[in-house]
């Protein structure tokens, strides 16, 4: 009833406001002062720094702290937490472990379209699995709900076809989503 409508409205409002606070450094720093183990704030702050060219110790430390917090706090597995953990591992240079979590996500949560994008990109590393990824990217597009996931799925499908049609020349320039 009314409680469900209120929760739905708050979720919609929070999602609409998220892009506004992603670039608010004082808010991110306050979030971490309030809860130094808030993996979502750690992740958002690390992404903020990386988007501005900080691929060094500060961003990597925040990513590692977020990953450790998820594991230490026993945050339940969900599409979001599996993809976050996979992304963190990839960003920390543990590509195989990160890609394994993307694969686990699509196995456990086959409706999570954004996870199919990441699993498909990881699968491109294996030449024996490359051809099959067109279907993976098409599935990601069919399942995508958020506009940024639809855009990423379309772009990755187009990039896959360009790369395949070139005879796999050069590299695949894809977009992971989180």
């Amino acid at each position: 009833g009314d409680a469900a409508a209120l929760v739905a409205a708050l979720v919609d409002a929070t999602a609409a406001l998220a892009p506004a606070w992603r670039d608010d450094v004082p808010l991110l720093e306050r979030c971490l002062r309030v809860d130094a183990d808030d993996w979502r704030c750690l992740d958002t702050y690390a992404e903020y720094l990386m988007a501005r060219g900080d691929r060094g110790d500060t961003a990597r430390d925040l990513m590692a702290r977020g990953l450790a917090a998820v594991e230490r706090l026993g945050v339940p597995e969900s599409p979001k937490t599996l993809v976050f953990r996979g992304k963190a591992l990839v960003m920390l240079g543990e590509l195989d472990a990160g890609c394994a979590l993307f694969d686990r996500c699509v196995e456990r949560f086959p409706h999570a379209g954004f996870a199919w994008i990441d699993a498909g990109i990881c699968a491109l590393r294996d030449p024996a699995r490359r051809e099959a990824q067109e279907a993976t990217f098409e599935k990601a597009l069919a399942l995508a709900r958020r506009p940024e996931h639809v855009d990423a799925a379309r772009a990755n499908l187009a990039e896959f076809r360009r790369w395949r049609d070139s005879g796999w020349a050069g590299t695949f320039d894809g977009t992971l989503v989180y």
Side-chain angles (χ1 to χ4, degrees):
D2 291 338
L6 178 59
V7 168
L10 288 173
V11 168
D12 287 344
T14 301
L17 290 173
W21 62 262
R22 286 182 175 267
D23 293 341
D24 191 334
V25 173
L27 184 60
L28 291 168
E29 290 172 347
R30 173 148 172 57
C31 179
L32 293 175
R33 280 193 307 275
V34 170
D35 182 357
D37 283 336
D38 188 326
W39 61 274
R40 293 157 303 216
C41 288
L42 290 161
D43 176 48
T44 301
Y45 201 1
E47 282 190 22
Y48 169 84
L49 293 173
M50 286 185 210
R52 280 144 189 82
D54 178 349
R55 304 238 187 258
D57 292 339
T58 303
R60 291 175 54 82
D61 177 59
L62 292 169
M63 193 69 65
R65 284 176 47 202
L67 183 59
V70 165
E71 296 184 13
R72 183 176 55 262
L73 298 172
V75 178
E77 280 194 355
S78 69
K80 179 70 176 170
T81 58
L82 283 169
V83 168
F84 161 73
R85 289 174 55 214
K87 174 191 69 166
L89 289 167
V90 167
M91 298 295 186
L92 293 170
E94 297 180 39
L95 193 58
D96 291 336
C99 287
L101 287 175
F102 296 145
D103 287 340
R104 186 157 96 206
C105 187
V106 298
E107 288 167 12
R108 291 207 51 222
F109 303 99
H111 63 280
F114 63 97
W116 284 97
I117 292 170
D118 300 342
I121 290 173
C122 280
L124 294 175
R125 298 177 327 140
D126 179 357
R129 295 176 62 194
R130 281 186 185 153
E131 286 291 339
Q133 297 320 301
E134 182 168 23
T136 300
F137 291 127
E138 288 172 344
K139 182 172 189 149
L141 182 57
L143 292 171
R145 297 292 172 256
R146 294 175 61 182
E148 61 270 24
H149 295 165
V150 171
D151 292 345
R154 278 192 185 124
N156 284 326
L157 181 57
E159 175 62 9
F160 171 82
R161 289 175 175 157
R162 181 213 55 82
W163 193 43
R164 179 199 57 209
D165 294 348
S166 75
W168 313 113
T171 60
F172 178 86
D173 185 21
T175 303
L176 291 171
V177 296
Y178 312 112

